[in-house]
């Protein structure tokens, strides 16, 4: 065995909490690497190519890019910052030798900061700390650095991990500096730190080819594209290789093309060697985590370890009266096929068949993780219905356990009382309290994941939209008991038809409406929120009776309050166990599982139903 280093390459992952500036920093690095023409319009958030990423302003998928600096190729891995997409971090971080840990100069280390740093230490990555947004008026870089050092002390398993270079940056302006006193001009200090502090890839000249697939892409002409790092040996187009899956099954296949990353493009090469991150085509049977090895003596690399899901809900065929009218794909076969196809790239997801051929159990890392899947399916033309999200429990030493999370809340002092009261009802326990002396406080809690379902919308309402909450999975702990529902009843349509202004005017006196005039509705569809605990049936399709007598006020228009429109995530938070979310490419509706009012009453009192349940 002959160990050497590839000094012409550095592999680095950019990790941070959500909205701490990862994608903005990558944009600046791409621009200052001069891989684009000076007159080439690039826009902002270059790496966030997914429409949902641009709409929500967060990175959802891990992506690869590369630039050159002083003749050295820097392979950059942009990772998500939201805890629900931590599986993306787990599957790509093994491609790197070092990491840039970004921390907001105002917020400091947040839940996902702790998670990604722990993952980096497990993979023995060399960190560089970048304290970003030092130009903000409430920036506190000195205090944040002390908090980062405390975090390193908590997580480090080796003395060497406590030594790390620190840079200060304003990613939006594309500047970095070694000290606070300096005046940065560009990102040269950051590039220099990467070259000098991130170790080059270590390779074995004598070993046979080995590469692990960390990502999959698809091209309509080239087919499936496997992306990963070459750990040993070399690969060239048309080479025969052996692919090894998680079960140890070996299959012989041929490589078509070998591509390397440069900027936003992939360029074909005649040969790629150990240490580089490449994409290969031609492999029909390949999954994330599989090993691609030489055909002579194929050996599998250690599998990629992915954390277990914590939230589950069912996806079912749309059984409402409007089922099949708005989507291109509405059958159980089409839905099942699409859900199982998602498992090829979304490796932190789980899909299971149920006793019903029309219903599938889907498990993920959190509500947002599952909501993004739902939104993607919806935009592709699928039509289906969803149940209320539930936590996944497990039995440990004969004790029923449930997932707990660390919850971090940033609010103004005036909202401490109401937020504390809300959390106490959800079995949350206070861990830490910090006041910045300027009227803002940070509260830290441990809370069952159950307690967070439906909490976000109520929290934003209570803090008038000014509160910020973040959570991170902590561990499985003993079941904490029942959590009382905090939601009141709903207004349910009692007739099928089209909502009228006259009918809605009478209904709005009983609660908050979710729909507008001329909206098609069906019996059992939820059309509003009732301030009282019980559900209430309302006829919003009724019209004003026509008479020959003309009232003096007949021409006065009826004024309706604006309908409250909920997002998909809010709908999932809102529903109860006896309700469903109907999702189509054009609409998101709330409904009762049992549509008939009489059948719901029979079910409530344990009577044999007199009405067929849809």
């Amino acid at each position: 065995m002959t160990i050497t280093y590839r000094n012409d390459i550095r592999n680095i992952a950019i990790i941070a909490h959500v909205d701490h500036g990862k994608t903005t920093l990558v944009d600046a690095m791409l621009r200052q690497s001069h891989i684009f023409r000076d007159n080439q319009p690039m826009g902002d958030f270059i790496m966030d190519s997914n429409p949902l990423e641009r709409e929500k302003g967060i990175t959802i998928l891990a992506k690869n890019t590369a630039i050159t600096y002083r003749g050295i190729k820097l392979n950059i891995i942009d990772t998500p910052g939201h805890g629900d997409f931590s599986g993306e971090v787990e599957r790509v971080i093994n491609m790197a030798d070092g990491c840039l840990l970004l921390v907001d100069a105002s917020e400091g280390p947040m839940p996902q900061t702790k998670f990604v740093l722990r993952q980096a230490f497990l993979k023995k990555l060399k960190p560089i700390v970048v304290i970003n947004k030092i130009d903000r008026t409430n920036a506190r870089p000195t205090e944040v650095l002390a908090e980062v050092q405390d975090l390193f002390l908590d997580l480090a398993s080796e003395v060497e991990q406590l030594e790390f270079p620190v840079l200060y940056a304003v990613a939006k302006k594309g500047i970095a500096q070694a000290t606070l006193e300096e005046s940065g001009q560009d990102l040269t200090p950051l590039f220099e730190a990467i070259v000098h502090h991130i170790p080059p890839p270590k390779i074995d000249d004598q070993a046979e080819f080995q590469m692990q697939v960390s990502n999959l892409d698809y091209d309509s002409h080239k087919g499936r594209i496997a992306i990963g790092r070459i750990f040993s040996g070399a690969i060239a187009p048309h080479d025969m290789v052996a692919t090894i899956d998680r079960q140890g099954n070996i299959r012989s296949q041929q490589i078509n093309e070998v591509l390397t990353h440069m900027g936003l493009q992939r360029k074909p090469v005649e040969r790629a060697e150990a240490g580089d991150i490449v994409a290969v085509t031609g492999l029909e049977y390949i999954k994330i985590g599989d090993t691609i090895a030489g055909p002579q003596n194929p050996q599998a690399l250690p599998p990629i370890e992915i954390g277990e899901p914590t939230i589950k809900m069912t996806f079912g065929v749309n059984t409402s009266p409007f089922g099949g009218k708005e989507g291109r794909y509405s059958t159980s076969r089409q839905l099942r096929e699409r859900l199982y196809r998602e498992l090829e790239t979304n490796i932190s997801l789980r899909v299971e068949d149920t006793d019903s051929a029309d219903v599938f159990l889907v498990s993920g890392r959190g509500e947002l993780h599952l909501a993004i899947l739902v939104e993607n399916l919806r935009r592709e033309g699928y039509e289906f219905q969803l149940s209320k999200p539930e936590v996944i429990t497990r039995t440990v030493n004969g004790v029923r356990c449930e997932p707990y999370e660390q919850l971090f809340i940033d609010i103004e002092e005036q909202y401490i009382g109401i937020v504390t009261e809300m959390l106490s009802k959800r079995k949350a326990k206070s861990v830490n309290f910090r006041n910045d002396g300027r009227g803002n406080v940070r509260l830290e809690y441990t809370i069952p994941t159950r307690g967070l379902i439906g909490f976000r919308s109520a929290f934003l309402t209570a803090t008038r939209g000014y509160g910020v909450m973040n959570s991170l999975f902590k561990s499985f702990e003993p079941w904490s008991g029942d959590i009382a529902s905090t939601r009141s009843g709903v207004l349910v349509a009692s007739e099928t038809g089209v909502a009228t202004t006259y009918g809605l005017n009478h209904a709005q006196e009983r609660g908050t409406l979710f729909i507008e005039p001329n909206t098609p509705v069906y019996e059992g569809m939820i059309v509003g929120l009732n301030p009282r605990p019980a559900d209430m049936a309302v006829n919003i399709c009724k019209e004003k009776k026509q008479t020959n007598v003309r009232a003096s006020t007949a021409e006065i228009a009826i004024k309706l309050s604006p309908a409250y429109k909920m997002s998909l995530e809010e709908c999932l938070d809102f529903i109860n166990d006896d309700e469903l979310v109907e999702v189509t490419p054009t609409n998101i509706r709330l409904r009762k599982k049992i549509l008939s009012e009489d059948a719901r009453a029979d079910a409530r009192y344990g009577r044999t139903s007199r009405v067929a349940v849809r």
Side-chain angles (χ1 to χ4, degrees):
M1 180 186 294
T2 305
I3 300 297
T4 58
Y5 294 88
R6 284 199 64 177
N7 290 306
D8 62 330
I9 288 180
R10 300 292 187 274
N11 297 319
I12 188 163
I14 300 187
I15 57 179
H17 186 80
V18 64
D19 201 32
H20 279 201
K22 297 181 308 301
T23 304
T24 304
L25 181 63
V26 175
D27 284 358
M29 294 173 75
L30 288 168
R31 288 192 176 92
Q32 294 189 25
S33 64
H34 305 295
I35 61 172
F36 304 121
R37 300 188 310 274
D38 291 339
N39 64 344
Q40 185 174 353
M42 295 309 302
D44 296 325
F45 307 115
I46 301 171
M47 293 294 289
D48 284 350
S49 54
N50 186 300
L52 274 177
E53 292 179 318
R54 289 186 172 273
E55 289 176 22
K56 294 184 176 294
I58 59 174
T59 300
I60 296 171
L61 303 172
K63 306 175 193 67
N64 295 83
T65 186
I67 60 177
T68 56
Y69 176 74
R70 290 201 291 110
I72 298 174
K73 181 181 181 182
L74 308 182
N75 283 316
I76 301 170
I77 306 163
D78 185 21
T79 65
H82 197 286
D84 281 16
F85 308 110
S86 52
E88 292 286 309
V89 178
E90 292 169 330
R91 70 177 172 83
V92 300
I93 203 168
N94 67 325
M95 292 192 287
D97 298 297
C99 63
L100 291 184
L101 178 67
L102 261 71
V103 183
D104 189 292
S106 172
E107 294 183 354
M110 297 292 283
Q112 187 70 359
T113 312
K114 185 175 183 178
F115 171 81
V116 293
L117 183 60
R118 183 187 294 117
Q119 295 298 315
F121 283 163
L122 289 174
K123 298 296 181 181
K124 310 295 184 185
L125 301 189
K126 177 71 175 177
I128 295 175
V129 173
V130 180
I131 299 179
N132 192 26
K133 304 182 184 181
I134 59 171
D135 60 331
R136 294 177 61 174
T137 54
N138 58 347
R140 48 186 190 92
T142 304
E143 294 91 335
V144 167
L145 177 57
E147 293 172 7
V148 171
Q149 290 170 333
D150 291 340
L151 183 61
F152 271 69
L153 282 171
D154 288 341
L155 301 179
S157 57
E158 299 177 4
V159 176
E160 294 76 13
Q161 293 172 336
L162 297 176
E163 299 177 3
F164 53 90
V166 180
L167 295 173
Y168 302 90
V170 183
K172 194 171 184 179
K173 297 179 180 178
I175 60 175
Q177 54 202 53
T179 65
L180 287 170
E181 291 73 25
E182 296 179 11
S183 179
Q185 304 298 320
D186 53 28
L187 292 179
T188 299
L190 177 61
F191 292 138
E192 289 291 334
I194 292 173
V195 170
H196 287 100
H197 294 284
I198 301 300
K202 183 169 62 174
I203 60 176
D204 179 6
D205 287 339
Q206 309 300 320
E208 197 173 0
F209 173 71
Q210 274 186 317
M211 166 184 167
Q212 189 164 51
V213 180
S214 297
N215 204 353
L216 287 177
D217 201 354
Y218 183 82
D219 183 271
S220 56
H221 299 290
K222 298 176 181 178
R224 189 168 295 187
I225 301 173
I227 303 167
R229 172 175 170 169
I230 303 176
F231 286 92
S232 61
I235 190 70
H238 310 299
D239 279 357
M240 292 299 299
V241 296
T243 58
I244 311 170
D245 62 20
R246 280 181 170 268
Q247 289 71 40
N249 301 316
I250 300 176
R251 190 189 299 267
S252 180
Q253 302 186 71
Q254 185 179 36
I255 299 290
N256 282 350
E257 276 189 307
V258 179
L259 310 153
T260 60
H261 296 87
M262 184 52 63
L264 304 182
Q265 299 178 338
R266 299 190 186 112
K267 297 183 177 181
V269 294
E270 292 302 318
R271 177 182 170 87
E273 298 180 348
D276 206 352
I277 296 174
V278 301
V280 297
T281 66
L283 304 179
E284 182 180 358
Y285 305 99
I286 196 72
K287 294 182 179 180
I288 292 175
D290 289 359
T291 299
I292 306 174
Q296 303 301 325
N297 183 29
Q299 299 292 324
L301 290 163
I304 298 174
E305 298 296 332
I306 301 294
E308 292 297 315
T310 58
I311 293 287
K312 64 182 179 181
M313 64 184 186
T314 62
F315 285 53
V317 173
N318 186 10
T319 58
S320 83
F322 295 166
K325 295 182 179 180
E326 299 173 354
R328 291 174 57 197
Y329 311 107
S330 57
T331 67
S332 59
R333 179 187 60 80
Q334 292 168 330
L335 180 60
R336 183 182 189 278
E337 184 181 280
R338 177 60 182 86
L339 288 173
Y340 276 93
R341 190 166 71 244
E342 181 71 17
L343 298 179
E344 296 179 1
T345 55
N346 198 339
I347 61 175
S348 54
L349 197 73
R350 301 288 185 272
V351 178
E352 303 172 38
D353 294 333
T354 66
D355 295 337
S356 171
D358 294 337
V359 179
F360 310 97
L361 183 65
V362 181
S363 306
R365 285 292 183 87
E367 286 180 276
L368 184 59
H369 183 204
L370 295 175
I372 292 296
L373 170 63
V374 171
E375 189 63 40
N376 281 328
L377 266 61
R378 178 190 177 205
R379 296 185 181 202
E380 292 171 17
Y382 286 85
E383 181 179 326
F384 48 94
Q385 60 191 25
L386 306 167
S387 70
K388 178 181 177 62
E390 301 175 20
V391 297
I392 298 173
T393 61
R394 61 173 60 168
T395 302
V396 180
N397 297 325
V399 178
R400 185 187 184 193
C401 294
E402 63 176 324
Y404 271 71
E405 304 201 24
Q406 288 178 286
L407 176 65
F408 294 80
I409 288 180
D410 291 286
I411 53 174
E412 297 178 0
E413 289 179 335
Q414 59 181 315
Y415 302 120
I416 293 177
I418 187 170
V419 170
T420 302
E421 181 182 357
M422 291 167 61
L423 287 171
S424 65
K425 295 178 180 178
R426 294 171 179 264
K427 306 289 186 179
K429 296 180 181 178
S430 179
V431 175
N432 198 5
F433 174 94
R434 191 185 71 197
N435 191 318
D436 67 355
R438 290 175 286 188
N440 302 310
V441 295
R442 172 172 294 178
L443 310 175
E444 181 180 347
Y445 292 86
T446 59
I447 184 172
T449 303
R450 283 183 301 137
L452 288 179
I453 296 176
F455 174 69
R456 185 178 296 274
S457 56
F459 168 74
L460 291 175
T461 301
T463 60
R464 300 182 181 179
Y466 288 103
V468 177
M469 59 172 283
N470 293 283
S471 63
L472 181 67
F473 172 73
K474 179 177 178 284
S475 62
F476 277 85
E477 298 181 15
W479 183 265
S480 59
D482 293 335
I483 296 178
S485 174
T486 57
R487 202 201 76 180
S488 57
V490 291
L491 304 179
V492 185
S494 62
E495 303 287 338
T496 297
V498 177
T500 65
T501 302
Y502 181 75
L504 290 173
N505 182 48
H506 286 277
Q508 74 176 0
E509 298 173 0
R510 294 166 171 80
T512 303
L513 295 177
F514 296 158
I515 64 171
E516 298 172 335
N518 300 319
T519 301
V521 299
Y522 52 81
E523 182 185 7
M525 179 173 160
I526 296 173
V527 297
L529 179 66
N530 183 10
R532 298 176 179 84
D535 296 339
M536 180 183 296
V538 292
N539 183 5
I540 59 173
C541 300
K542 66 179 178 181
E543 298 180 354
K544 187 176 182 179
K545 292 182 179 180
Q546 303 296 320
T547 67
N548 291 328
V549 180
R550 185 180 180 90
S552 60
T553 57
E555 302 301 323
I556 299 177
I558 297 174
K559 292 185 178 180
L560 296 176
S561 301
Y564 178 61
K565 300 290 186 179
M566 288 192 287
S567 66
L568 174 62
E569 292 92 331
E570 288 175 317
C571 288
L572 292 175
D573 281 346
F574 179 82
I575 59 174
N576 277 336
D577 294 334
D578 64 335
E579 298 163 355
L580 297 170
V581 178
E582 178 187 349
V583 179
T584 75
T586 54
N587 287 291
I588 297 175
R589 304 183 182 95
L590 302 176
R591 54 162 286 189
K592 289 291 183 178
K593 285 184 179 180
I594 302 175
L595 298 181
S596 166
E597 182 181 354
D598 291 336
R600 288 198 303 275
D602 289 339
R604 189 181 309 119
Y605 297 110
R607 299 192 297 257
T608 301
S609 178
R610 298 161 292 170
V611 182
V613 179
R614 291 185 183 274

